[in-house]
Amino acid sequence: MSAADGSKPVKGIVTPIRLDYRYTPGAAQSRFLHGLKEGRLLGRRCPQCGKVYVPPRGGCPMCGVEFAEEVEVADTGTLVTYAVVNVNFANRVIDLPYISGEVLFDGSDMTSMVLVQGVSPDEVRMGMRVRAHWLPRDEWDYSFTNIDYVEPIDEPDADYESFKEAL
Amino acid sequence: MRPVAVVSYAQHASAREDNRNEVEILLPVLREALEPTGLTTQDIGFTVSGSSDYLAGQAFAFVSALDAVGPWPPIAESHVEMDGAFALYEAWVRLQHGDIDTALVYAFGKSSPGDIARVLSLQLDPYLVGPLWPDAVSLAALQARALLDADGIGEKDLARVVARDRRNAAGNPHAQVSEQTDEATLLAEPLYADPLRKHDCPPVSDGAAVVVLAAGDRARELAERPAWIRGIDHRIEGQYVGSRDLTVSASTRIAAQRAGVDGRADLAELHAPFSHQELILLEALGLDEDTTAVNPSGGALVSNPVMVAGLVRIGEAARRVSAGEGQRAVAHATSGPCLQQNLVCVLEAEQ
Amino acid sequence: MSGQRAAVLGTGQTKHEAKREDVSIGGLVHEAAERALADAELDWADIDAVVIGKAPDMFEGVMMPELYLAEALGAVGKPMTRVHTAGSVGGSTSVIATHLVQSGIHRRVLTVAFEKQSESNAMWALSIHLPFSQPLVAGAGGYFAPIVRGYIRKSQAPLDTGFKVALKDRLNALKNPYAHLHQPEITLEGIATSPLLWDPIRYAETCPSSDGAAAMVIGDEASAAASSRPVAWVHGTALRSEPTMGAGRDRVNPHAGRDCAAALYAEAGITDPLHEIDCAEIYVPFSWFEPMWLENLGFADEGTGWKMVQDGATALDGDLPVNMSGGVLSSNPIGASGMIRFLEAANQVRGTAGEHQVKDARRALGHAYGGGSQYFAMWVVGAEKP
């Protein structure tokens, strides 16, 4: 169907939207980011259920109470589960395929999503013991990206029973 | 209709909150509202919230806010991407079923992270209007121009509204703007978006509000003087500002009639982010300042956490009714450009 | 049953496609709504309120679309609400609309859910890189693949379980004229060898991205009595939510899903779901969610849902047909998908499901989930008045 002058109908238009936002991590996460700047993983413990959250986001999501106690967790942990990502998407900065892992850092009760390197997609497995590989110290910022990725360490895989709760 | 009342209310609002995120702002407000009732999240029959992703600049922003409620064990819950006043309506509807007696309503939003007036442009028809980026202030100014051009309203009427709201703001600890002033001083200010001056527009506020509803005898158990919802209704108009008369609020008129306003209220809390809109709304509600105290809290001109301000109007009206400051109150909430959608609620003290 | 009786008087949906270039967002929803009204033999003026639902505003870049859509949906002068509960939204929207009728406040409510994925960048919106965090999450698949891996580990299910679900759903879709994917050439081998997108999830086990809208007219008992069309009575509805990230959450068999189903069955008077429910439309965007949800919904014991798949129990001619319409695996306009499940369940008990009709379906389940497997919305509809 064309217009009288033979031009084709407009079926779609692209309308660029640009909005700038100033994000606030919040008090608890801010402290977490300060910790990262020092190369430390700082979580918070819920006064009611006793679980440790890394990163903490204001309150315990299970109890609905504010976090109190600060708890430092290790930068070693267990790879609870993972996905091997092989699909392109906007904002992608990592080469495909990559392993997106859920790591339970020792001392934390909540997994964190971290890039996994140093092991091929064929060999990665649930329960692998890993350690954070940090960027060079002089590149550290207030960001979780100070941890470039986690890589396997020379420890026997964690027993399934020990981490299945985190699934 | 099953009698439902506001039994508790709390809010927080401030100018840009750099230290706390939405969850951290909401947590203490939830606690403040729930504590006097003795209810926990688990005791509540239904929870509904109101917020908008675009304010936070993040998809699913409301998902992390649910953490503040501590929904564990899991709860019956829903969410509207609208002002919390509309969430309250959903909670009120659910309570009509008769099988649950309490509901929790909360709203939160930070207007400060983005340019809120521009963000609101995204509410417009994405093909024909949105790409022109008419921001919220400009659209309101269009409406104000239409109103001033019609008979009877002049810029001194706008100044009178602002001066009165400021006077009332002095008694509101949650107001961001409370500088006392007078009409002459206000009119001497330069125009900002002709015919509006800066003070005719709302401040940028971050905040949260929580209302607890209860039905029948349960309400009497939970509050000494519940504020009963005698009627509540909301209506929407078409969006295109060229297709409706901007000088009247037809949907407010319908909602007011359905909610049973009847031209009677000791006080009215109007969600008018722009001064001229208070005049339009009063007319549509069939109320006048001689017999009704308008915006005793100062209204949205002194504190305007978007997505929260409508719920705050209901809370503020309810609080005053419970405190004996009035026997009968009207609360109003709005959504969309130039008063496109409106909710009206009539609250009364126990007889 | 909570409140007054409510029934589905009519349903409508658009033919789900990758790109509907012939309609705007307004046109898309109008089409579904008109069809629902036609099916119910009602007119726009018969509707008292409109409830719409869709997934994040950031998908299409339209904030609070109910404002833009008021005219397209005949809502001017009426109450209009927009529900947003992430992926379960189509379901929760249906529940909220039903509440309005059950409360006695409104007699006939139009409910619509939609997504115009071709006008959106869902992958971007789902993967927005917030400062301070790693830019890892590659859309929904990236989030759910680790959970699927967890299920496979826990249940020790045979690895072709997912392939069999995908095959079944895509073959069912051939009997559904509205389904997006019509793949008459599909084979188990083809699915098993399709590219791995988010290991262990393969391309052919993944939902498409669709433009689509769904609508229903929900009415009270008097409206149902006055109608000459078959109706589906709402026997029960339930909503449950839990935190996204909570230490102690079971993301493979979520507590909220189990609680939601339990509350639903209690309200509907069901004690043996496997035998009392004739068929189910459940939200399966990645094939492995079928066995997971069968367990979560109480149709199978924990760890054994995969057996129902392997046995063919969930096929169109099985003991408990699941996703007769082809499911989310065959059509996924995200915001609408939950409502399509609810609508398809209603059509089954109305006897209007056409070629994918389950014979003698008297009671059906509609299910939707969203977020990080934390939001659940469900209903049971029946041919008999409850």
Side-chain angles (χ1 to χ4, degrees):
Chain A
M1 191 174 64
S2 305
D5 64 355
S7 59
K8 293 234 168 77
V10 174
K11 287 194 177 168
I13 50 172
V14 175
T15 60
I17 295 176
R18 191 204 158 94
L19 292 170
D20 293 313
Y21 287 85
R22 193 189 144 93
Y23 287 102
T24 301
Q29 213 185 341
S30 181
R31 181 81 191 104
F32 173 69
L33 294 169
H34 276 272
L36 284 168
K37 184 94 158 97
E38 296 163 24
R40 305 162 68 202
L41 287 171
L42 297 177
R44 294 266 176 117
R45 189 192 306 277
C46 171
Q48 203 162 296
C49 67
K51 303 280 189 187
V52 175
Y53 282 81
V54 172
R57 267 125 51 105
C60 176
M62 303 293 256
C63 305
V65 302
E66 272 136 335
F67 285 127
E69 195 193 331
E70 188 168 88
V71 174
E72 181 161 357
V73 306
D75 70 348
T76 52
T78 302
L79 183 65
V80 172
T81 182
Y82 62 92
V84 180
V85 180
N86 202 25
V87 58
N88 200 5
F89 58 100
N91 302 341
R92 183 175 64 78
V93 295
I94 309 160
D95 288 339
L96 298 178
Y98 65 85
I99 302 170
S100 167
E102 287 200 23
V103 177
L104 189 66
F105 287 108
D106 298 325
S108 168
D109 289 298
M110 191 64 231
T111 57
S112 307
M113 212 168 226
V114 196
L115 179 66
V116 180
Q117 302 259 273
V119 60
S120 74
D122 300 323
E123 293 179 343
V124 66
R125 50 201 185 276
M126 292 163 69
M128 274 181 69
R129 293 286 300 160
V130 295
R131 164 179 286 122
H133 177 102
W134 297 76
L135 288 177
R137 186 174 287 263
D138 58 8
E139 289 179 36
W140 286 357
D141 198 355
Y142 298 97
S143 174
F144 197 74
T145 51
N146 289 355
I147 293 180
D148 207 6
Y149 52 84
V150 293
E151 57 194 348
I153 51 177
D154 197 9
E155 276 181 28
D157 285 2
D159 190 48
Y160 176 65
E161 294 300 311
S162 73
F163 63 84
K164 72 172 187 188
E165 289 292 301
L167 271 171
Chain B
M1 213 183 67
R2 194 177 182 215
V4 169
V6 173
V7 295
S8 190
Y9 155 69
Q11 70 140 316
H12 173 82
S14 62
R16 185 164 81 196
E17 268 253 24
D18 272 338
N19 294 330
R20 299 189 295 167
N21 63 22
E22 284 88 341
V23 176
E24 289 164 339
I25 294 172
L26 181 58
L27 259 167
V29 182
L30 274 167
R31 201 177 35 248
E32 195 189 324
L34 285 170
E35 232 150 65
T37 65
L39 296 168
T40 66
T41 314
Q42 292 303 308
D43 300 321
I44 299 281
F46 189 51
T47 299
V48 197
S49 60
S51 69
S52 165
D53 285 349
Y54 260 113
L55 260 66
Q58 189 185 337
F60 309 114
F62 66 95
V63 171
S64 14
L66 186 59
D67 288 357
V69 168
W72 189 263
I75 59 173
E77 176 266 344
S78 188
H79 166 83
V80 292
E81 191 88 347
M82 305 170 80
D83 187 292
F86 296 89
L88 184 143
Y89 183 83
E90 295 307 320
W92 175 82
V93 165
R94 179 65 183 85
L95 286 170
Q96 297 299 310
H97 296 186
D99 60 323
I100 57 165
D101 296 327
T102 56
L104 177 68
V105 182
Y106 65 94
F108 63 92
K110 292 180 100 182
S111 298
S112 67
D115 178 348
I116 184 72
R118 250 174 81 85
V119 168
L120 291 170
S121 298
L122 294 177
Q123 290 176 337
L124 305 166
D125 175 328
Y127 308 96
L128 302 175
V129 187
L132 299 173
W133 286 93
D135 64 281
V137 173
S138 302
L139 286 173
L142 261 176
Q143 184 184 42
R145 170 55 56 204
L147 186 69
L148 292 180
D149 282 356
D151 284 331
I153 310 276
E155 54 174 19
K156 59 176 173 23
D157 295 298
L158 304 192
R160 188 169 45 77
V161 164
V162 177
R164 185 248 290 132
D165 283 348
R166 292 282 184 92
R167 272 197 305 279
N168 293 344
N172 181 358
H174 304 289
Q176 281 72 68
V177 186
S178 54
E179 193 193 320
Q180 298 302 291
T181 183
D182 57 54
E183 287 170 39
T185 312
L186 291 169
L187 287 171
E189 290 293 310
L191 291 170
Y192 174 60
D194 193 338
L196 297 174
R197 293 174 167 81
K198 197 85 172 51
H199 53 246
D200 293 311
C201 308
V204 173
S205 314
D206 293 346
V210 178
V211 167
V212 180
L213 298 178
D217 285 332
R218 194 79 180 99
R220 292 180 185 94
E221 285 165 26
L222 295 171
E224 269 220 39
R225 296 201 58 185
W228 295 99
I229 295 175
R230 291 298 181 220
I232 183 168
D233 188 89
H234 64 86
R235 303 280 147 174
I236 196 168
E237 296 172 43
Q239 181 178 87
Y240 304 89
V241 295
S243 71
R244 53 190 170 102
D245 183 348
L246 296 177
T247 66
V248 301
S249 184
S251 50
T252 302
R253 189 166 287 152
I254 301 172
Q257 196 241 333
R258 293 300 190 110
V261 171
D262 263 359
R264 301 177 292 124
D266 299 317
L267 62 105
E269 282 282 334
L270 313 178
H271 183 191
F274 297 90
S275 58
H276 66 282
Q277 292 174 339
E278 276 193 29
L279 301 169
I280 296 173
L281 291 168
L282 261 181
E283 167 83 37
L285 290 166
L287 299 171
D288 71 81
E289 281 193 75
D290 295 333
T291 48
T292 302
V294 179
N295 282 342
S297 69
L301 276 176
V302 305
S303 176
N304 189 36
V306 175
M307 297 301 132
V308 182
L311 184 63
V312 166
R313 303 279 73 71
I314 298 176
E316 290 293 316
R319 186 168 73 69
R320 286 175 172 78
V321 161
S322 296
E325 287 172 36
Q327 166 64 21
R328 183 176 162 88
V330 168
H332 155 272
T334 195
S335 183
C338 301
L339 304 177
Q340 182 189 351
Q341 180 175 34
N342 296 281
L343 177 149
V344 176
C345 177
V346 176
L347 297 147
E348 272 186 352
E350 190 89 52
Q351 240 69 31
Chain C
M1 203 198 58
S2 119
Q4 302 181 18
R5 290 194 177 93
V8 179
L9 308 179
T11 70
Q13 58 184 302
T14 59
K15 160 83 172 85
H16 310 296
E17 291 184 13
K19 258 185 152 190
R20 281 294 303 271
E21 285 189 321
D22 59 319
V23 288
S24 62
I25 295 171
L28 185 73
V29 302
H30 184 87
E31 190 174 289
E34 251 194 341
R35 290 182 180 168
L37 285 170
D39 187 33
E41 286 180 352
L42 290 171
D43 202 9
W44 295 99
D46 297 317
I47 299 299
D48 303 313
V50 180
V51 181
I52 75 168
K54 71 169 298 292
D57 291 352
M58 281 180 175
F59 280 17
E60 289 86 348
V62 182
M63 180 178 173
M64 298 164 73
E66 70 282 8
L67 299 168
Y68 149 63
L69 292 170
E71 278 116 330
L73 290 172
V76 174
K78 299 177 185 172
M80 189 173 188
T81 305
R82 182 282 182 85
V83 178
H84 176 25
T85 59
S88 68
V89 68
S92 53
T93 299
S94 310
V95 173
I96 295 297
T98 305
H99 281 179
L100 286 174
V101 174
Q102 290 171 321
S103 67
I105 304 296
H106 297 296
R107 298 206 46 216
R108 286 177 293 259
V109 177
L110 171 68
T111 186
V112 183
F114 73 97
E115 208 70 54
K116 199 137 195 287
Q117 306 248 168
S118 70
E119 287 182 35
S120 71
N121 196 333
M123 202 49 162
W124 165 82
L126 290 168
S127 321
I128 289 177
H129 176 203
L130 293 183
F132 329 124
S133 61
Q134 290 218 336
L136 274 185
V137 184
Y143 179 84
F144 291 118
I147 298 173
V148 165
R149 180 177 301 282
Y151 173 74
I152 296 172
R153 177 73 170 78
K154 276 188 185 183
S155 65
Q156 299 289 295
L159 294 178
D160 67 347
T161 306
F163 307 150
K164 291 189 171 166
V165 170
L167 182 68
K168 166 183 73 75
D169 282 4
R170 300 280 166 71
L171 289 176
N172 284 350
L174 293 172
K175 299 184 153 91
N176 177 4
Y178 295 108
H180 176 171
L181 296 180
H182 281 147
Q183 301 171 325
E185 314 293 309
I186 194 155
T187 62
L188 197 64
E189 165 97 21
I191 297 168
T193 53
S194 64
L196 276 168
L197 292 187
W198 309 274
D199 191 335
I201 299 175
R202 291 182 182 270
Y203 175 76
E205 297 178 279
T206 300
C207 52
S209 169
S210 321
D211 281 356
M216 292 189 283
V217 178
I218 299 179
D220 60 7
E221 197 167 348
S223 304
S227 175
S228 58
R229 299 284 295 136
V231 306
W233 292 97
V234 177
H235 287 204
T237 69
L239 298 171
R240 286 295 185 277
S241 308
E242 64 183 39
T244 326
M245 305 218 219
R249 270 196 77 205
D250 182 345
R251 288 176 297 157
V252 172
N253 190 3
H255 199 326
R258 282 178 271 140
D259 282 4
C260 195
L264 176 69
Y265 298 149
E267 189 173 304
I270 291 172
T271 49
D272 180 3
L274 186 58
H275 297 108
E276 294 183 64
I277 290 172
D278 299 316
C279 56
E281 283 275 340
I282 68 184
Y283 203 113
V284 174
F286 304 102
S287 59
W288 281 93
F289 275 89
E290 181 172 294
M292 286 162 66
W293 291 149
L294 289 172
E295 295 171 25
N296 195 247
L297 287 164
F299 292 122
D301 291 333
E302 192 165 21
T304 69
W306 58 270
K307 293 184 188 171
M308 286 181 73
V309 174
Q310 295 286 351
D311 291 343
T314 60
L316 201 46
D317 58 0
D319 290 335
L320 180 75
V322 171
N323 291 336
M324 303 67 72
S325 65
V328 179
L329 275 177
S330 304
S331 313
N332 191 21
I334 294 180
S337 286
M339 187 173 288
I340 296 172
R341 308 281 73 69
F342 278 46
L343 171 166
E344 288 285 344
N347 284 349
Q348 288 289 338
V349 306
R350 294 170 73 213
T352 61
E355 230 192 306
H356 61 277
Q357 175 76 50
V358 170
K359 199 154 152 359
D360 297 326
R362 308 296 293 168
R363 253 179 161 181
L365 171 80
H367 159 281
Y369 89 98
S373 295
Q374 70 204 111
Y375 294 108
F376 293 87
M378 306 176 187
W379 82 359
V380 168
V381 284
E384 313 293 344
K385 211 186 272 198

